[in-house]
Amino acid sequence: MKKLYLFVLFYLFSVPSQASGPFDGIYMISANDFTIGYITLREDANTHQMIAVILDPDPNITWTALSARRVGNTAIFATITGANTMDVDLTIRINFDSNNPNPTATIISCRDGATYSCIFPVGVTLNLIKTF
């Protein structure tokens, strides 16, 4: 019964959403042709402020939220403190290219938390493959 109430609540208060930034979407994160996880990007077209949420396929590792402001074709994302289920402090640079739908992400810094550890060392570049 709770699921029915939840469904009705979401149905009544749902609004159509549209991508406003040129790079909005869901991307598969890969390294050496191996899928590591997924990232969803959303940008405010007026301010170029971006939000990213990284999702891990491992159900024990849930998600990480980051924010950035895109300047030209680059955005440097930093962990949003207090808004994550993971306690890793992460900074990544994403380079976009309007001619290529698949940007790259480079780890600038990563500090282990009390519960979670960094997966990749600083300097590693990952491929983002747009899926939606």
Side-chain angles (χ1 to χ4, degrees), residues 73-96:
N73 288 336
T74 302
I76 298 177
F77 287 86
T79 302
I80 300 173
T81 306
N84 294 290
T85 58
M86 291 176 45
D87 58 357
V88 170
D89 187 12
L90 177 64
T91 304
I92 59 172
R93 180 181 57 245
I94 297 182
N95 293 317
F96 300 96

PDB file of all heavy atoms in Angstrom, residues 73-96:
ATOM      1  N   ASN A  73      34.759  24.867 -22.363  1.00  0.00           N
ATOM      2  CA  ASN A  73      34.541  23.424 -22.487  1.00  0.00           C
ATOM      3  C   ASN A  73      35.042  22.645 -21.286  1.00  0.00           C
ATOM      4  O   ASN A  73      35.210  21.430 -21.373  1.00  0.00           O
ATOM      5  CB  ASN A  73      35.218  22.901 -23.760  1.00  0.00           C
ATOM      6  CG  ASN A  73      34.489  23.340 -25.005  1.00  0.00           C
ATOM      7  OD1 ASN A  73      33.300  23.633 -24.966  1.00  0.00           O
ATOM      8  ND2 ASN A  73      35.189  23.396 -26.113  1.00  0.00           N
ATOM      9  N   THR A  74      35.293  23.329 -20.166  1.00  0.00           N
ATOM     10  CA  THR A  74      35.836  22.649 -18.989  1.00  0.00           C
ATOM     11  C   THR A  74      35.019  22.975 -17.751  1.00  0.00           C
ATOM     12  O   THR A  74      34.587  24.108 -17.562  1.00  0.00           O
ATOM     13  CB  THR A  74      37.302  23.074 -18.758  1.00  0.00           C
ATOM     14  OG1 THR A  74      38.056  22.773 -19.924  1.00  0.00           O
ATOM     15  CG2 THR A  74      37.907  22.352 -17.580  1.00  0.00           C
ATOM     16  N   ALA A  75      34.845  21.962 -16.912  1.00  0.00           N
ATOM     17  CA  ALA A  75      34.213  22.148 -15.601  1.00  0.00           C
ATOM     18  C   ALA A  75      35.016  21.349 -14.585  1.00  0.00           C
ATOM     19  O   ALA A  75      35.363  20.199 -14.834  1.00  0.00           O
ATOM     20  CB  ALA A  75      32.766  21.680 -15.620  1.00  0.00           C
ATOM     21  N   ILE A  76      35.328  21.987 -13.456  1.00  0.00           N
ATOM     22  CA  ILE A  76      36.048  21.298 -12.382  1.00  0.00           C
ATOM     23  C   ILE A  76      35.049  21.039 -11.265  1.00  0.00           C
ATOM     24  O   ILE A  76      34.587  21.965 -10.597  1.00  0.00           O
ATOM     25  CB  ILE A  76      37.263  22.113 -11.901  1.00  0.00           C
ATOM     26  CG1 ILE A  76      38.242  22.270 -13.059  1.00  0.00           C
ATOM     27  CG2 ILE A  76      37.918  21.430 -10.706  1.00  0.00           C
ATOM     28  CD1 ILE A  76      39.457  23.110 -12.754  1.00  0.00           C
ATOM     29  N   PHE A  77      34.713  19.768 -11.105  1.00  0.00           N
ATOM     30  CA  PHE A  77      33.701  19.339 -10.142  1.00  0.00           C
ATOM     31  C   PHE A  77      34.337  19.022  -8.793  1.00  0.00           C
ATOM     32  O   PHE A  77      35.390  18.383  -8.745  1.00  0.00           O
ATOM     33  CB  PHE A  77      32.979  18.084 -10.649  1.00  0.00           C
ATOM     34  CG  PHE A  77      32.040  18.343 -11.780  1.00  0.00           C
ATOM     35  CD1 PHE A  77      32.498  18.362 -13.085  1.00  0.00           C
ATOM     36  CD2 PHE A  77      30.695  18.585 -11.543  1.00  0.00           C
ATOM     37  CE1 PHE A  77      31.637  18.601 -14.144  1.00  0.00           C
ATOM     38  CE2 PHE A  77      29.825  18.824 -12.591  1.00  0.00           C
ATOM     39  CZ  PHE A  77      30.303  18.836 -13.896  1.00  0.00           C
ATOM     40  N   ALA A  78      33.672  19.437  -7.736  1.00  0.00           N
ATOM     41  CA  ALA A  78      34.110  19.124  -6.379  1.00  0.00           C
ATOM     42  C   ALA A  78      32.946  18.503  -5.620  1.00  0.00           C
ATOM     43  O   ALA A  78      31.775  18.840  -5.862  1.00  0.00           O
ATOM     44  CB  ALA A  78      34.605  20.378  -5.671  1.00  0.00           C
ATOM     45  N   THR A  79      33.262  17.617  -4.713  1.00  0.00           N
ATOM     46  CA  THR A  79      32.247  16.951  -3.899  1.00  0.00           C
ATOM     47  C   THR A  79      31.416  17.987  -3.145  1.00  0.00           C
ATOM     48  O   THR A  79      31.964  18.955  -2.608  1.00  0.00           O
ATOM     49  CB  THR A  79      32.921  16.008  -2.883  1.00  0.00           C
ATOM     50  OG1 THR A  79      33.712  15.057  -3.604  1.00  0.00           O
ATOM     51  CG2 THR A  79      31.900  15.281  -2.041  1.00  0.00           C
ATOM     52  N   ILE A  80      30.126  17.785  -3.108  1.00  0.00           N
ATOM     53  CA  ILE A  80      29.241  18.641  -2.320  1.00  0.00           C
ATOM     54  C   ILE A  80      29.239  18.081  -0.906  1.00  0.00           C
ATOM     55  O   ILE A  80      28.687  17.009  -0.647  1.00  0.00           O
ATOM     56  CB  ILE A  80      27.818  18.670  -2.900  1.00  0.00           C
ATOM     57  CG1 ILE A  80      27.841  19.194  -4.330  1.00  0.00           C
ATOM     58  CG2 ILE A  80      26.906  19.517  -2.014  1.00  0.00           C
ATOM     59  CD1 ILE A  80      26.511  19.098  -5.048  1.00  0.00           C
ATOM     60  N   THR A  81      29.873  18.776   0.007  1.00  0.00           N
ATOM     61  CA  THR A  81      30.017  18.320   1.387  1.00  0.00           C
ATOM     62  C   THR A  81      28.655  18.161   2.047  1.00  0.00           C
ATOM     63  O   THR A  81      27.810  19.037   1.965  1.00  0.00           O
ATOM     64  CB  THR A  81      30.867  19.322   2.195  1.00  0.00           C
ATOM     65  OG1 THR A  81      32.093  19.519   1.501  1.00  0.00           O
ATOM     66  CG2 THR A  81      31.139  18.813   3.589  1.00  0.00           C
ATOM     67  N   GLY A  82      28.459  17.017   2.662  1.00  0.00           N
ATOM     68  CA  GLY A  82      27.225  16.742   3.391  1.00  0.00           C
ATOM     69  C   GLY A  82      26.081  16.248   2.530  1.00  0.00           C
ATOM     70  O   GLY A  82      25.005  15.968   3.036  1.00  0.00           O
ATOM     71  N   ALA A  83      26.282  16.124   1.232  1.00  0.00           N
ATOM     72  CA  ALA A  83      25.195  15.704   0.339  1.00  0.00           C
ATOM     73  C   ALA A  83      25.504  14.374  -0.324  1.00  0.00           C
ATOM     74  O   ALA A  83      25.004  14.095  -1.400  1.00  0.00           O
ATOM     75  CB  ALA A  83      24.960  16.772  -0.728  1.00  0.00           C
ATOM     76  N   ASN A  84      26.336  13.559   0.298  1.00  0.00           N
ATOM     77  CA  ASN A  84      26.765  12.313  -0.312  1.00  0.00           C
ATOM     78  C   ASN A  84      26.586  11.145   0.641  1.00  0.00           C
ATOM     79  O   ASN A  84      26.658  11.301   1.851  1.00  0.00           O
ATOM     80  CB  ASN A  84      28.260  12.398  -0.686  1.00  0.00           C
ATOM     81  CG  ASN A  84      28.496  13.423  -1.758  1.00  0.00           C
ATOM     82  OD1 ASN A  84      28.112  13.217  -2.894  1.00  0.00           O
ATOM     83  ND2 ASN A  84      29.103  14.531  -1.405  1.00  0.00           N
ATOM     84  N   THR A  85      26.389   9.980   0.064  1.00  0.00           N
ATOM     85  CA  THR A  85      26.384   8.779   0.884  1.00  0.00           C
ATOM     86  C   THR A  85      27.798   8.245   1.038  1.00  0.00           C
ATOM     87  O   THR A  85      28.075   7.493   1.957  1.00  0.00           O
ATOM     88  CB  THR A  85      25.492   7.689   0.270  1.00  0.00           C
ATOM     89  OG1 THR A  85      25.957   7.394  -1.037  1.00  0.00           O
ATOM     90  CG2 THR A  85      24.043   8.140   0.218  1.00  0.00           C
ATOM     91  N   MET A  86      28.704   8.652   0.138  1.00  0.00           N
ATOM     92  CA  MET A  86      30.111   8.266   0.250  1.00  0.00           C
ATOM     93  C   MET A  86      30.877   9.424   0.876  1.00  0.00           C
ATOM     94  O   MET A  86      30.555  10.576   0.649  1.00  0.00           O
ATOM     95  CB  MET A  86      30.686   7.945  -1.136  1.00  0.00           C
ATOM     96  CG  MET A  86      30.122   6.680  -1.734  1.00  0.00           C
ATOM     97  SD  MET A  86      30.691   6.340  -3.416  1.00  0.00           S
ATOM     98  CE  MET A  86      32.425   6.641  -3.334  1.00  0.00           C
ATOM     99  N   ASP A  87      31.902   9.107   1.662  1.00  0.00           N
ATOM    100  CA  ASP A  87      32.652  10.156   2.348  1.00  0.00           C
ATOM    101  C   ASP A  87      33.999  10.459   1.698  1.00  0.00           C
ATOM    102  O   ASP A  87      34.885  11.018   2.326  1.00  0.00           O
ATOM    103  CB  ASP A  87      32.835   9.803   3.821  1.00  0.00           C
ATOM    104  CG  ASP A  87      33.550   8.480   4.033  1.00  0.00           C
ATOM    105  OD1 ASP A  87      33.863   7.787   3.048  1.00  0.00           O
ATOM    106  OD2 ASP A  87      33.786   8.123   5.205  1.00  0.00           O
ATOM    107  N   VAL A  88      34.161  10.138   0.421  1.00  0.00           N
ATOM    108  CA  VAL A  88      35.375  10.453  -0.326  1.00  0.00           C
ATOM    109  C   VAL A  88      35.290  11.907  -0.776  1.00  0.00           C
ATOM    110  O   VAL A  88      34.247  12.371  -1.216  1.00  0.00           O
ATOM    111  CB  VAL A  88      35.518   9.511  -1.546  1.00  0.00           C
ATOM    112  CG1 VAL A  88      36.623   9.970  -2.466  1.00  0.00           C
ATOM    113  CG2 VAL A  88      35.760   8.089  -1.086  1.00  0.00           C
ATOM    114  N   ASP A  89      36.384  12.645  -0.643  1.00  0.00           N
ATOM    115  CA  ASP A  89      36.445  14.027  -1.111  1.00  0.00           C
ATOM    116  C   ASP A  89      37.105  14.011  -2.482  1.00  0.00           C
ATOM    117  O   ASP A  89      38.299  13.760  -2.602  1.00  0.00           O
ATOM    118  CB  ASP A  89      37.245  14.871  -0.122  1.00  0.00           C
ATOM    119  CG  ASP A  89      37.203  16.341  -0.454  1.00  0.00           C
ATOM    120  OD1 ASP A  89      36.381  16.747  -1.302  1.00  0.00           O
ATOM    121  OD2 ASP A  89      37.998  17.100   0.131  1.00  0.00           O
ATOM    122  N   LEU A  90      36.335  14.279  -3.532  1.00  0.00           N
ATOM    123  CA  LEU A  90      36.771  14.094  -4.908  1.00  0.00           C
ATOM    124  C   LEU A  90      36.706  15.401  -5.688  1.00  0.00           C
ATOM    125  O   LEU A  90      35.755  16.168  -5.550  1.00  0.00           O
ATOM    126  CB  LEU A  90      35.863  13.053  -5.583  1.00  0.00           C
ATOM    127  CG  LEU A  90      36.067  12.732  -7.049  1.00  0.00           C
ATOM    128  CD1 LEU A  90      37.437  12.096  -7.275  1.00  0.00           C
ATOM    129  CD2 LEU A  90      34.964  11.801  -7.526  1.00  0.00           C
ATOM    130  N   THR A  91      37.721  15.637  -6.514  1.00  0.00           N
ATOM    131  CA  THR A  91      37.719  16.752  -7.458  1.00  0.00           C
ATOM    132  C   THR A  91      38.101  16.191  -8.821  1.00  0.00           C
ATOM    133  O   THR A  91      39.133  15.518  -8.943  1.00  0.00           O
ATOM    134  CB  THR A  91      38.725  17.850  -7.043  1.00  0.00           C
ATOM    135  OG1 THR A  91      38.420  18.282  -5.719  1.00  0.00           O
ATOM    136  CG2 THR A  91      38.653  19.035  -7.982  1.00  0.00           C
ATOM    137  N   ILE A  92      37.264  16.445  -9.816  1.00  0.00           N
ATOM    138  CA  ILE A  92      37.545  15.956 -11.173  1.00  0.00           C
ATOM    139  C   ILE A  92      37.348  17.084 -12.175  1.00  0.00           C
ATOM    140  O   ILE A  92      36.527  17.977 -11.972  1.00  0.00           O
ATOM    141  CB  ILE A  92      36.656  14.752 -11.568  1.00  0.00           C
ATOM    142  CG1 ILE A  92      35.176  15.112 -11.513  1.00  0.00           C
ATOM    143  CG2 ILE A  92      36.936  13.546 -10.716  1.00  0.00           C
ATOM    144  CD1 ILE A  92      34.258  14.041 -12.057  1.00  0.00           C
ATOM    145  N   ARG A  93      38.102  17.039 -13.251  1.00  0.00           N
ATOM    146  CA  ARG A  93      37.969  17.987 -14.351  1.00  0.00           C
ATOM    147  C   ARG A  93      37.343  17.241 -15.527  1.00  0.00           C
ATOM    148  O   ARG A  93      37.848  16.200 -15.944  1.00  0.00           O
ATOM    149  CB  ARG A  93      39.320  18.562 -14.761  1.00  0.00           C
ATOM    150  CG  ARG A  93      39.207  19.561 -15.923  1.00  0.00           C
ATOM    151  CD  ARG A  93      40.554  20.140 -16.365  1.00  0.00           C
ATOM    152  NE  ARG A  93      41.474  19.080 -16.750  1.00  0.00           N
ATOM    153  CZ  ARG A  93      42.619  18.785 -16.122  1.00  0.00           C
ATOM    154  NH1 ARG A  93      42.974  19.457 -15.056  1.00  0.00           N
ATOM    155  NH2 ARG A  93      43.384  17.816 -16.545  1.00  0.00           N
ATOM    156  N   ILE A  94      36.248  17.784 -16.028  1.00  0.00           N
ATOM    157  CA  ILE A  94      35.618  17.183 -17.200  1.00  0.00           C
ATOM    158  C   ILE A  94      35.806  18.137 -18.366  1.00  0.00           C
ATOM    159  O   ILE A  94      35.486  19.323 -18.277  1.00  0.00           O
ATOM    160  CB  ILE A  94      34.124  16.879 -16.965  1.00  0.00           C
ATOM    161  CG1 ILE A  94      33.977  15.859 -15.840  1.00  0.00           C
ATOM    162  CG2 ILE A  94      33.482  16.359 -18.249  1.00  0.00           C
ATOM    163  CD1 ILE A  94      32.554  15.449 -15.538  1.00  0.00           C
ATOM    164  N   ASN A  95      36.361  17.599 -19.443  1.00  0.00           N
ATOM    165  CA  ASN A  95      36.574  18.359 -20.675  1.00  0.00           C
ATOM    166  C   ASN A  95      35.514  17.956 -21.683  1.00  0.00           C
ATOM    167  O   ASN A  95      35.411  16.781 -22.042  1.00  0.00           O
ATOM    168  CB  ASN A  95      37.971  18.098 -21.239  1.00  0.00           C
ATOM    169  CG  ASN A  95      39.048  18.648 -20.335  1.00  0.00           C
ATOM    170  OD1 ASN A  95      38.933  19.753 -19.831  1.00  0.00           O
ATOM    171  ND2 ASN A  95      40.085  17.873 -20.121  1.00  0.00           N
ATOM    172  N   PHE A  96      34.732  18.935 -22.110  1.00  0.00           N
ATOM    173  CA  PHE A  96      33.669  18.715 -23.071  1.00  0.00           C
ATOM    174  C   PHE A  96      34.132  19.170 -24.449  1.00  0.00           C
ATOM    175  O   PHE A  96      35.021  19.997 -24.576  1.00  0.00           O
ATOM    176  CB  PHE A  96      32.419  19.514 -22.683  1.00  0.00           C
ATOM    177  CG  PHE A  96      31.865  19.152 -21.341  1.00  0.00           C
ATOM    178  CD1 PHE A  96      32.198  19.895 -20.215  1.00  0.00           C
ATOM    179  CD2 PHE A  96      31.014  18.073 -21.186  1.00  0.00           C
ATOM    180  CE1 PHE A  96      31.682  19.576 -18.972  1.00  0.00           C
ATOM    181  CE2 PHE A  96      30.493  17.741 -19.953  1.00  0.00           C
ATOM    182  CZ  PHE A  96      30.829  18.503 -18.835  1.00  0.00           C
TER     183      PHE A  96
END
